[in-house]
Amino acid sequence: MTRLNALQPVGLLLLRVVLGIIFISHGYPKLTHPNAIHGFFVQHGLPGYLVTVGGVLEVFGGGLLILGFLTRIAALLLAIEMAVAIWKVHSAGGYLAVHNYEFPLVLAAACFVLATVGAGRVSVDYALYESAAGPRSGKPKAKS
């Protein structure tokens, strides 16, 4: 099983790209047709301006996930957004009605994983912040 550890960068890349595509595809209509979605937000007790906020967060956050840039911040904000969506929109049947909120729950959990683990080696974050200085562990990089 330790051989699978070598695939962790590919696994994190795949997770980021898939999440990014999903968030972009759900956020784009919020930006291009906000009036069509405005009533849905208001009906669920959310302010109408959150359509635009959610659209921007999903489109640009999804793009950041795909690139692996500012991944932890973008993923944490998207996880929080999905938690709010579960709470305000999908929880009408109670916590036992998992079928009502399983999709946003998976998105929230996956984003939380990225927020805690990071983008991985195949990312802009790694290239900018970790490859030259070593991992941010507080320990100095070993000399060659």
Side-chain angles (χ1 to χ4, degrees):
M1 284 303 203
T2 57
R3 291 182 185 193
L4 289 175
N5 288 340
L7 294 176
Q8 285 179 354
V10 176
L12 287 170
L13 173 65
L14 181 63
L15 180 62
R16 287 192 348 257
V17 169
V18 169
L19 285 173
I21 290 169
I22 290 169
F23 277 112
I24 290 170
S25 69
H26 283 263
Y28 185 74
K30 292 179 179 103
L31 293 179
T32 56
H33 307 294
N35 294 335
I37 302 169
H38 182 273
F40 178 79
F41 273 58
V42 172
Q43 176 185 355
H44 285 94
L46 297 166
Y49 68 85
L50 284 183
V51 173
T52 304
V53 172
V56 168
L57 179 59
E58 291 172 14
V59 169
F60 291 101
L64 290 173
L65 290 183
I66 291 171
L67 293 173
F69 182 58
L70 302 174
T71 305
R72 291 177 186 255
I73 296 166
L76 184 60
L77 291 173
L78 289 166
I80 292 168
E81 181 193 26
M82 290 296 98
V84 170
I86 291 168
W87 171 48
K88 294 298 278 182
V89 178
H90 301 284
S91 64
Y95 71 93
L96 292 177
V98 177
H99 64 280
N100 288 341
Y101 61 88
E102 61 193 0
F103 182 64
L105 180 64
V106 168
L107 292 178
C111 285
F112 186 74
V113 167
L114 286 178
T116 58
V117 173
R121 279 189 273 154
V122 185
S123 68
V124 174
D125 285 344
Y126 186 83
L128 290 177
Y129 306 118
E130 295 183 28
S131 64
R136 288 191 231 162
S137 62
K139 299 177 189 173
K141 190 174 181 181
K143 295 182 181 178
S144 309

